[in-house]
Amino acid sequence: SAGWFRRRFLPGEPLPAPRPPGPRASPVLYRRPRFLRGSSSSPGAADASRRPDSRPVRSPARGRKLPWNAGYAEIINAEKSEFNEDQAACGKLCIRRCEFGAEEEWLTLCPEEVSSYPAAPCWVRGQLGKSGHYWALFDGHGGPAAAILAANTLHSCLRRQLEAVVEGLVATQPPMHLNGRCICSSDPQFVEEKGIRAEDLVVGALESAFQECDEVIGRELEASGQVGGCTALVAVSLQGKLYVANAGDSRAILVRRDEIRPLSFEFTPETERQRIQQLAFVYPELLAGEFTRLEFPRRLKGDDLGQKVLFRDHHMSGWSYKRVEKSDLKYPLIHGQGRQARLLGTLAVSRGLGDHQLRVLDTNIQLKPFLLSVPQVTVLDVGQLELQEDDVVVMATDGLWDVLSNEQVAWLVRSFLPGNQEDPYRFLKLAQMLIHSTQGKEDSPTEEGQVSYDDVSVFVIPLHSQGQESNGH
């Protein structure tokens, strides 16, 4: 139901030459994080007193029990190398809340078992509820450690954040006070005037979960002496709506018969130029006198001194002219164009998780103050769409979008799915075909010689069954 594919080399097939070590490709061995390690004599066992849930999770793909800490990520990553900088996770989203009073009450929005999609409906306070599902892609840089941690951690952070607001989710209107008290009789009116809805609680939970996960990654990497970061693209199906949260340069699009709808926005130094320049304006010490926050069409040279050249600052969306001073000859805060743009000459993304230890080469200038872990969240009301069986969401890391446009991906989707209606694995095969199309083959829609040398991971998510669930089927 959700296709995902990663190329595997066949026996005897020559492997590509390894990339030379460097700032963006340094070999980093993954050390299991502390919260997944324990004093037990069995390998990988964790201290039972620290486990959030020690019950085993069953993998539907294999029909075998997995350790508690495998969670959702094991379903996808069982076939994926630990040392690949792309990581992925998916599974059922279980949200529960325990209230202690005269009696114990559990508020459950979906089943506890992690299993394959689609899911059966469940009960919430005696009413039919909706199942939740979770998909996530993590594109690592500087090593795989941050991406692996995010794949094993983010869903737990999200579950905790949703459990903290679950009473507001199941209410007709989110109450001002979760404890049921009404301090002011006009509280419901204030909430209504603000336009606060249940979906706003889910958006807030996603934003808080990204922030919490970023803090966990920072602590774990520091404790294990590792470095690195990752982008994060997450889709959550809950209560008839699809929430797409993105921090980085991965992308998700909705493909329908007559529509292509972007569901995410890429965050690069270029797209967030004004925010980054504003930060450098307020806190100039972050640049340590080594960089200029101003943007010029090209890197200035000594011969430009005294000349009037084009520039723009944090308060400008347009351009103007200024006379070049000596300080303008410093390396620019943001340099390059398009996918070649770099923040402080180092990083190609402006949002993501990790990178707490990342510094500009041969300096003590940190990049983390300029990076945001907060995602942009897009809400798609699946229940309001007249869904067809071939309507899908395509999520992929930037390796796919480097060589394929939204229109080319949509063309491939529309060309493949109608002729394979009876194939139960058609979404998996579509994901495989999308990967194949990045390799510059003769039948590829990419321009001649255009090949993606980056890791590529893809989810193809059919929305038709999601719409059925939102209508109670």
Side-chain angles (χ1 to χ4, degrees):
S1 59
W4 176 88
F5 181 73
R6 169 85 184 128
R7 184 166 185 254
R8 180 182 291 277
F9 289 95
L10 300 175
E13 183 178 358
L15 298 177
R19 292 179 295 179
R24 293 179 54 83
S26 57
V28 179
L29 295 178
Y30 172 61
R31 181 170 180 245
R32 199 166 182 79
R34 287 178 296 169
F35 63 87
L36 299 184
R37 299 196 303 267
S39 57
S40 172
S41 58
S42 59
D47 184 359
S49 63
R50 300 181 63 188
R51 298 179 183 179
D53 185 356
S54 59
R55 285 171 293 188
V57 178
R58 185 174 297 278
S59 166
R62 282 171 166 65
R64 62 180 174 86
K65 290 187 175 181
L66 302 175
W68 73 269
N69 51 24
Y72 306 109
E74 183 70 18
I75 296 176
I76 282 296
N77 292 336
E79 297 292 344
K80 196 168 179 65
S81 168
E82 274 192 341
F83 305 103
N84 193 305
E85 289 188 338
D86 271 13
Q87 296 292 319
C90 75
K92 276 273 193 67
L93 185 63
C94 173
I95 311 160
R96 62 189 183 184
R97 176 76 170 180
C98 182
E99 295 179 351
F100 296 96
E103 61 181 14
E104 191 175 90
E105 179 184 17
W106 290 93
L107 307 182
T108 306
L109 288 186
C110 62
E112 297 176 6
E113 290 281 335
V114 175
S115 64
S116 60
Y117 161 97
C122 62
W123 294 89
V124 183
R125 277 186 170 171
Q127 298 179 348
L128 189 65
K130 306 297 186 294
S131 298
H133 299 88
Y134 169 91
W135 300 267
L137 291 174
F138 306 97
D139 186 356
H141 47 260
I148 293 172
L149 279 166
N152 285 282
T153 304
L154 183 56
H155 63 271
S156 297
C157 298
L158 177 59
R159 185 177 66 182
R160 281 193 294 273
Q161 296 294 336
L162 287 172
E163 285 174 350
V165 298
V166 69
E167 292 92 345
L169 290 176
V170 299
T172 305
Q173 181 187 65
M176 182 75 173
H177 297 276
L178 275 183
N179 58 13
R181 295 183 61 189
C182 188
I183 305 300
C184 176
S185 60
S186 300
D187 279 351
Q189 181 181 347
F190 288 127
V191 173
E192 185 176 358
E193 288 177 351
K194 287 287 186 180
I196 303 173
R197 298 163 295 175
E199 69 179 51
D200 296 311
L201 297 179
V202 179
V203 173
L206 279 163
E207 293 168 337
S208 299
F210 271 63
Q211 183 71 29
E212 179 185 347
C213 183
D214 182 61
E215 294 170 0
V216 170
I217 290 173
R219 291 194 300 267
E220 294 298 332
L221 292 185
E222 182 180 11
S224 59
Q226 297 184 86
V227 297
C230 67
T231 66
L233 176 63
V234 172
V236 174
S237 174
L238 187 64
Q239 294 181 307
K241 295 182 179 180
L242 186 72
Y243 300 83
V244 179
N246 184 46
D249 57 359
S250 296
R251 188 186 307 174
I253 63 171
L254 167 65
V255 179
R256 307 183 70 195
R257 183 176 300 173
D258 55 355
E259 179 186 12
I260 305 171
R261 187 185 305 185
L263 297 178
S264 66
F265 177 81
E266 278 118 271
F267 293 99
T268 66
E270 200 171 38
T271 62
E272 291 208 281
R273 173 190 60 83
Q274 287 183 271
R275 176 187 70 80
I276 295 171
Q277 286 181 321
Q278 170 75 17
L279 191 63
F281 171 74
V282 177
Y283 302 102
E285 64 273 13
L286 293 176
L287 302 182
E290 298 289 338
F291 292 84
T292 175
R293 73 169 189 274
L294 302 180
E295 180 186 12
F296 302 95
R298 63 163 170 81
R299 175 84 186 275
L300 297 183
K301 303 177 181 178
D303 294 341
D304 293 313
L305 275 172
Q307 304 296 318
K308 280 196 170 184
V309 299
L310 285 166
F311 88 105
R312 59 180 176 180
D313 203 350
H314 65 92
H315 60 280
M316 304 165 61
S317 58
W319 292 80
S320 186
Y321 286 91
K322 77 176 297 285
R323 195 172 299 279
V324 177
E325 304 172 8
K326 189 174 181 180
S327 61
D328 298 326
L329 301 183
K330 297 175 182 177
Y331 200 87
L333 173 62
I334 299 170
H335 182 61
Q337 183 74 20
R339 292 193 174 274
Q340 303 303 317
R342 293 293 182 270
L343 171 61
L344 295 172
T346 304
L347 201 56
V349 293
S350 56
R351 297 199 188 192
L353 307 175
D355 290 315
H356 296 76
Q357 294 82 29
L358 184 60
R359 287 172 168 78
V360 178
L361 188 64
D362 296 331
T363 75
N364 201 34
I365 301 175
Q366 294 183 322
L367 277 83
K368 188 61 176 177
F370 295 98
L371 306 179
L372 283 182
S373 59
V374 180
Q376 180 195 57
V377 183
T378 302
V379 183
L380 178 67
D381 194 340
V382 179
Q384 297 300 315
L385 299 175
E386 295 181 3
L387 294 174
Q388 305 295 322
E389 290 189 11
D390 295 339
D391 293 347
V392 297
V393 169
V394 177
M395 297 171 56
T397 51
D398 65 321
L400 180 78
W401 309 108
D402 284 345
V403 296
L404 291 177
S405 66
N406 292 356
E407 291 71 23
Q408 289 171 324
V409 169
W411 180 83
L412 289 169
V413 170
R414 293 164 181 163
S415 300
F416 180 84
L417 288 180
N420 294 272
Q421 292 288 348
E422 304 303 320
D423 189 345
Y425 302 104
R426 60 189 181 278
F427 300 110
L428 172 63
K429 292 180 179 178
L430 173 58
Q432 292 175 341
M433 186 181 70
L434 291 173
I435 298 289
H436 177 83
S437 299
T438 66
Q439 303 306 305
K441 305 296 182 181
E442 292 182 1
D443 56 345
S444 172
T446 60
E447 297 179 8
E448 185 177 355
Q450 200 168 14
V451 178
S452 177
Y453 294 98
D454 197 0
D455 296 333
V456 182
S457 297
V458 174
F459 275 126
V460 174
I461 306 170
L463 289 182
H464 189 249
S465 295
Q466 297 289 327
Q468 285 182 330
E469 287 186 10
S470 69
N471 293 323
H473 298 293

